[in-house]
Amino acid sequence: MKKSKFYILTILISCAFINCKKIPNSGSPDHIKNITNGIDDDKLATVETIENEWLTHGGNYKEDRYSSLNQINKSTIDSLGLVWSINLGTTRGLEATPLVVDGIMYLTGTWSMVYAIDVRKGEVIWTFDPEVPREYGEKGCCGVVNRGVALYKGKVYLGAFDGRLIAIDAATGKKEWEVLTVNQNKGYTITGAPRIVKGNIVIGNGGAEYGVRGYITAYDAITGEQEWRFYTVPDNPQNGFESDAMKKAANTWTGEWWKFGGGGTAWDAIVFDPELNQLYIGTGNGSPWNREIRSPGGGDNLYLSSIVSLNPDNGEMNWYYQTTPGESWDYTATQPIILADLEIENKPRKVLMQAPKNGFFYVIDRTNGDFISGEPFVYTNWAKKIDYETGRPIESSFARYKDVNAYIAPHPIGAHNWHPMAFNKSTGLVYIPAREGSNFYGQNKKFEFIDDGKSWNTGTGYDANSPVVQDSLIPETVGKLIAWDPVKQREIWSVTHQSSWNAGVLTTKDLVFQGTGKGDFKIYDAMTGDKLWDFPLQTGIVAPPITYMVDGTQYVTLVAGWGGGLATWVKYVDQINPGGIYTFAIGGKKAPPTFPAKEPRELINLDFDATQEQIENGQRLFGRYCGFCHGDGVIPNLSYSKPEIFESFTQIVGDGIFIEKGMPKFNDRLSEQNINDIKNYILSNAKQQRTKLIGQE
């Protein structure tokens, strides 16, 4: 049937008045430009009311990772299934929180790769490779990982592993500018997600294990020009102080700490409160870990392991709260910070909440830094409790391990690490991806600081002449998902995982979502902890899921890929499979991923000719240069290497023929004889393991 002339004329007139334009296709550069240009300060400040998108790292400025979307709920969860997946082809760690705006997703992978994904199609739109030099990989304590990007006014912002802050056109994936934020001669890296704060992009860094001085920096998001920088620990007093905060901090240090860097790196938690105009950061461990080395006269060593409030306009400090004074255990306070308004003792309080590595859950008044409460959420023995009058821990007699060797809980991996927790406004509970565990601490009388930007300088070890303090109450090492009441400061329920390294969490009104190190994506009842649903992804999961809505459908996406931290040394699946992106919705029908089985591992069995002295030297060198990476996790256990690896051992270790795989070259530090000693130690160790296995048969 033909349209009337009047109808056609009406359409033409209407278009003339409303300036009709062709609607750009979803996923096209014009579409992406339109939707990302609208992400400005006003939108970010009100993002908590935007249900359909996930525009900031923690879901909103409170970083509570709570969504009010409820299409996926207890009554529909049986119909939840996989809609699409993308294999990213990497067997290194994937830690990113994706961001989503109108069905366009942005996330990062290993080596700081950035991906733009069309959610509607489950397809990659573009990929950005910052071309991080592969030899830089040895500067990372915990893998070549990255936890995500920021979005603002048409740009995607990346903190690259080698210390560059990069602005990328969100529509095309082309680099617009970059600025170097660190001294690359030192052991600095960036693995955390940048944050947008009042037109600035704020980024910290890591590297305290290598001997660096921590700081956080704000750059103009449009031009890349530096606006301010806040150092977290003081430099040599003879050089003067950058701020009154540094002058105050210097009084809490002794000795010549600056020669060790000091530490205090702000490598993860960055949270902005637009109402109070305060920026909260979490700071890291000391460098070296042991205060007896870096600050032998004692002292709190400000601002290590602290929550620090800054003025986002100039970077000046408002207040601080130190979770672990005189930090000596790698008990960082860089773990995620959540902002909330709670009723405590019948009074409304604006609080921030944190569950740092040291095992205590803290509720702090975020207006002024006053301590409100703090209780252990896992077993701790370094401190008996928190003194509610002073807000300081009451340490156990052996905590400082000055004249003893001691099993101290929690482990330096932490009662809670970087994996995001979530706060549910409906249940009033915080869901913590936690772990039990302990570590053996003692004084390393032979510690030698190596200032080459490549060597670990933790100062860990033990003294064989000192007595050992045991603690029979320390529980076995396990992972947990804990539902915690932050007002009553007590556990409501918990789930125990076989794996002690598990994913961050997401919560909705009645659900909690979490992946595990065993490779399962699980959903729990938010009130009871009952498992309601799970899906096997065949590879360990450490990244947190997100949820959003596109064209009327609620989706849940998570990135699966084993790596980072503890995953360097352990795994909980038979083989480590390539990581990828997985998206679920009600009615999804895709089958779980399948991966071909790898050949069974066999301990290397080669003859070797070495003296006991050479093998012991190889063991010492292996521990210093190799052991931090080559455990039994994401990077190969060399005891199971193929014979051809040992045929080319000198070329691999000395000359760097595997440098594109991230294997550095060591001929600047190791002689050919030293390299041979390491090889012979590996072969000798494999022989001992074979003998042990035969004896068990």
Side-chain angles (χ1 to χ4, degrees), residues 424-666:
N424 190 313
K425 300 173 187 176
S426 299
T427 65
L429 302 178
V430 177
Y431 303 97
I432 312 167
R435 68 190 51 80
E436 301 278 7
S438 66
N439 189 58
F440 190 61
Y441 290 87
Q443 295 299 320
N444 181 354
K445 300 296 181 65
K446 298 180 180 180
F447 172 72
E448 178 185 353
F449 182 70
I450 304 172
D451 190 16
D452 63 358
K454 302 175 183 179
S455 300
W456 276 48
N457 287 291
T458 59
T460 53
Y462 66 94
D463 182 4
N465 297 317
S466 295
V468 175
V469 177
Q470 302 279 359
D471 184 350
S472 61
L473 298 178
I474 293 175
E476 64 176 326
T477 299
V478 294
K480 284 186 172 182
L481 174 60
I482 299 175
W484 189 264
D485 185 329
V487 176
K488 297 180 180 179
Q489 281 283 16
R490 63 184 180 91
E491 179 184 303
I492 301 302
W493 57 258
S494 66
V495 174
T496 299
H497 298 306
Q498 287 179 293
S499 50
S500 60
W501 189 249
N502 300 292
V505 299
L506 161 74
T507 186
T508 58
K509 182 178 179 181
D510 56 2
L511 303 174
V512 180
F513 304 71
Q514 186 189 29
T516 74
K518 294 280 288 183
D520 297 312
F521 182 31
K522 300 186 179 186
I523 302 178
Y524 303 91
D525 185 304
M527 285 299 297
T528 67
D530 293 337
K531 187 182 73 173
L532 303 176
W533 179 93
D534 68 28
F535 194 92
L537 291 178
Q538 310 298 316
T539 190
I541 308 165
V542 293
I546 65 165
T547 189
Y548 51 94
M549 185 170 281
V550 180
D551 301 335
T553 298
Q554 181 185 358
Y555 295 93
V556 172
T557 294
L558 85 161
V559 185
W562 188 239
L566 186 63
T568 303
W569 304 290
V570 299
K571 62 179 182 292
Y572 298 96
V573 292
D574 292 335
Q575 63 183 40
I576 296 176
N577 295 313
I581 311 164
Y582 297 89
T583 294
F584 301 82
I586 300 300
K589 301 293 185 182
K590 297 287 186 181
T594 59
F595 300 95
K598 297 179 181 178
E599 295 181 15
R601 297 193 311 173
E602 292 186 3
L603 287 163
I604 186 67
N605 186 5
L606 291 177
D607 292 332
F608 59 93
D609 182 16
T611 66
Q612 185 61 32
E613 183 180 5
Q614 289 170 335
I615 291 173
E616 290 175 356
N617 182 52
Q619 181 179 17
R620 179 182 63 81
L621 294 173
F622 183 91
R624 177 170 172 179
Y625 293 108
C626 315
F628 297 114
C629 292
H630 289 283
D632 200 26
V634 295
I635 298 177
N637 181 334
L638 297 178
S639 294
Y640 293 90
S641 296
K642 300 292 185 183
E644 52 265 30
I645 293 295
F646 291 93
E647 292 170 5
S648 303
F649 200 84
T650 300
Q651 290 75 27
I652 295 170
V653 177
D655 302 334
I657 63 172
F658 280 1
I659 203 162
E660 285 304 308
K661 297 181 179 181
M663 171 66 196
K665 61 180 181 179
F666 289 91

Side-chain angles (χ1 to χ4, degrees), residues 88-145:
L88 294 181
T90 177
T91 53
R92 303 291 289 271
L94 296 172
E95 299 185 352
T97 296
L99 303 185
V100 178
V101 51
D102 192 24
I104 306 302
M105 178 185 295
Y106 298 93
L107 72 152
T108 53
T110 53
W111 296 108
S112 309
M113 296 283 289
V114 182
Y115 304 90
I117 309 293
D118 188 330
V119 171
R120 293 174 174 89
K121 300 176 182 178
E123 297 177 356
V124 177
I125 299 171
W126 55 253
T127 301
F128 174 78
D129 183 355
E131 299 181 347
V132 175
R134 294 310 190 244
E135 59 267 27
Y136 210 90
E138 68 174 309
K139 295 189 177 186
C141 76
C142 306
V144 289
V145 294

Side-chain angles (χ1 to χ4, degrees), residues 114-411:
V114 182
Y115 304 90
I117 309 293
D118 188 330
V119 171
R120 293 174 174 89
K121 300 176 182 178
E123 297 177 356
V124 177
I125 299 171
W126 55 253
T127 301
F128 174 78
D129 183 355
E131 299 181 347
V132 175
R134 294 310 190 244
E135 59 267 27
Y136 210 90
E138 68 174 309
K139 295 189 177 186
C141 76
C142 306
V144 289
V145 294
N146 190 279
R147 285 180 288 282
V149 295
L151 286 174
Y152 186 69
K153 292 186 177 180
K155 295 182 179 64
V156 180
Y157 296 90
L158 165 72
F161 187 78
D162 60 354
R164 290 173 291 152
L165 178 64
I166 303 173
I168 306 162
D169 187 303
T172 65
K174 303 298 183 183
K175 181 172 67 177
E176 294 202 356
W177 55 257
E178 72 175 38
V179 59
L180 183 61
T181 74
V182 303
N183 178 353
Q184 292 182 325
N185 292 322
K186 297 288 187 178
Y188 287 106
T189 55
I190 295 178
T191 57
R195 307 298 204 279
I196 298 294
V197 180
K198 300 182 74 173
N200 288 334
I201 185 81
V202 181
I203 190 69
N205 47 61
E209 278 65 43
Y210 294 79
V212 301
R213 181 190 184 201
Y215 58 84
I216 191 165
T217 316
Y219 297 89
D220 185 288
I222 305 303
T223 66
E225 295 182 3
Q226 182 175 319
E227 296 295 320
W228 54 258
R229 174 168 289 174
F230 176 81
Y231 286 95
T232 59
V233 298
D235 196 7
N236 185 344
Q238 293 185 358
N239 297 333
F241 301 107
E242 293 87 357
S243 65
D244 290 340
M246 290 300 97
K247 184 177 182 180
K248 177 180 179 180
N251 294 325
T252 68
W253 292 74
T254 62
E256 297 179 316
W257 70 86
W258 58 88
K259 292 184 177 181
F260 304 113
T265 47
W267 52 265
D268 195 69
I270 305 170
V271 186
F272 175 53
D273 185 340
E275 180 186 358
L276 298 178
N277 195 38
Q278 294 193 46
L279 176 66
Y280 310 101
I281 65 170
T283 68
N285 54 281
S287 179
W289 293 358
N290 188 347
R291 187 182 64 175
E292 291 298 312
I293 297 174
R294 69 173 186 268
S295 184
D300 285 353
N301 291 183
L302 296 175
Y303 299 96
L304 297 180
S305 300
S306 298
I307 299 167
V308 180
S309 169
L310 303 176
N311 181 338
D313 299 319
N314 55 25
E316 295 181 0
M317 188 176 75
N318 297 315
W319 55 259
Y320 73 92
Y321 173 79
Q322 191 170 38
T323 61
T324 312
E327 195 283 311
S328 281
W329 309 271
D330 190 23
Y331 288 165
T332 63
T334 52
Q335 284 56 57
I337 294 170
I338 292 176
L339 310 186
D341 296 338
L342 301 179
E343 187 171 299
I344 300 175
E345 296 181 347
N346 299 317
K347 294 181 180 179
R349 301 290 296 269
K350 294 184 179 298
V351 307
L352 61 78
M353 301 180 290
Q354 189 188 49
K357 279 188 180 183
N358 73 12
F360 287 87
F361 187 94
Y362 294 90
V363 179
I364 306 294
D365 188 317
R366 71 176 188 267
T367 68
N368 55 21
D370 285 350
F371 171 83
I372 296 175
S373 64
E375 295 293 334
F377 59 95
V378 298
Y379 182 77
T380 65
N381 69 5
W382 73 275
K384 301 175 183 178
K385 61 180 180 178
I386 305 296
D387 185 325
Y388 271 52
E389 293 296 321
T390 65
R392 295 176 65 89
I394 299 175
E395 296 178 5
S396 60
S397 60
F398 54 84
R400 294 284 164 185
Y401 54 93
K402 190 172 182 180
D403 300 311
V404 298
N405 303 298
Y407 288 93
I408 297 177
H411 189 278

